[in-house]
Amino acid sequence: MNKKHKKLFLKLIKDPFTFILLLLTLSLVLFFYKHLIVYALIVFFAGSLSLMTLKMKVKFSLGHVFFLSMVIAKEMGFIWAVILVIAGEFVPKVIVADLDLKTFILIPIEIGIAFIFATFNSVSILALGFIIGLIYHFIGLVLAKSMGD
């Protein structure tokens, strides 16, 4: 925080009326947009976990981004799931420089699966998620074995 912003912030919290108005506004934002805050935390922790496993060179996928993308697509919509997949899986791979052909095949498949869950919102995530999860991970296994991973 630079000096100008710090001075403005101190001026805001010295005035009781402004401070109460600021707290009320923050409370309303947290009350009405708590799902976005939870979503941001999910994206942050999913990306952090992906980055950590990639840096430690763990050879198996935890599948957390795949599972969370299905849940987010069903509950919040397709665009939110795409953002999660990009921020939680693609960006960590770019940071660690672990991009391979398998990444460019599986991420679009994962986005397509999120589209299926966003489109067919009434379908049980347990039944369809299990079947699609098996198919997705089988494709990943075949790609990994064919590429020598």
Side-chain angles (χ1 to χ4, degrees):
M1 185 182 297
N2 64 22
K3 197 173 187 179
K4 182 180 176 183
H5 290 107
K6 189 175 183 180
K7 189 176 179 180
L8 178 65
F9 180 73
L10 290 174
K11 186 178 176 183
L12 281 174
I13 63 171
K14 280 184 183 178
D15 181 26
F17 178 74
T18 308
F19 184 68
I20 291 171
L21 188 64
L22 185 67
L23 284 178
L24 182 64
T25 304
L26 184 63
S27 299
L28 287 173
V29 166
L30 288 175
F31 180 74
F32 288 112
Y33 296 106
K34 62 186 166 206
H35 64 282
L36 291 178
I37 294 169
V38 171
Y39 173 77
L41 288 172
I42 288 171
V43 169
F44 173 76
F45 285 118
S48 298
L49 186 60
S50 293
L51 187 63
M52 186 174 56
T53 57
L54 287 168
K55 282 190 173 189
M56 292 176 17
K57 305 222 185 286
V58 175
K59 285 294 182 185
F60 63 91
S61 172
L62 299 173
H64 61 287
V65 176
F66 174 72
F67 171 72
L68 287 171
S69 69
M70 290 189 294
V71 173
I72 294 293
K74 187 170 178 66
E75 294 300 319
M76 294 180 73
F78 174 66
I79 297 299
W80 297 104
V82 170
I83 293 169
L84 173 71
V85 169
I86 291 170
E89 196 160 345
F90 185 72
V91 171
K93 287 187 178 236
V94 169
I95 291 172
V96 180
D98 188 34
L99 293 174
D100 55 358
L101 183 62
K102 185 173 72 169
T103 302
F104 290 106
I105 294 172
L106 288 179
I107 286 182
I109 291 173
E110 199 167 328
I111 290 172
I113 290 169
F115 180 75
I116 290 170
F117 273 92
T119 305
F120 301 109
N121 203 7
S122 62
V123 178
S124 168
I125 195 167
L126 186 62
L128 187 61
F130 182 74
I131 293 167
I132 289 180
L134 284 175
I135 294 169
Y136 173 80
H137 284 91
F138 179 74
I139 291 170
L141 178 70
V142 169
L143 285 173
K145 291 298 177 186
S146 67
M147 293 179 182
D149 279 350

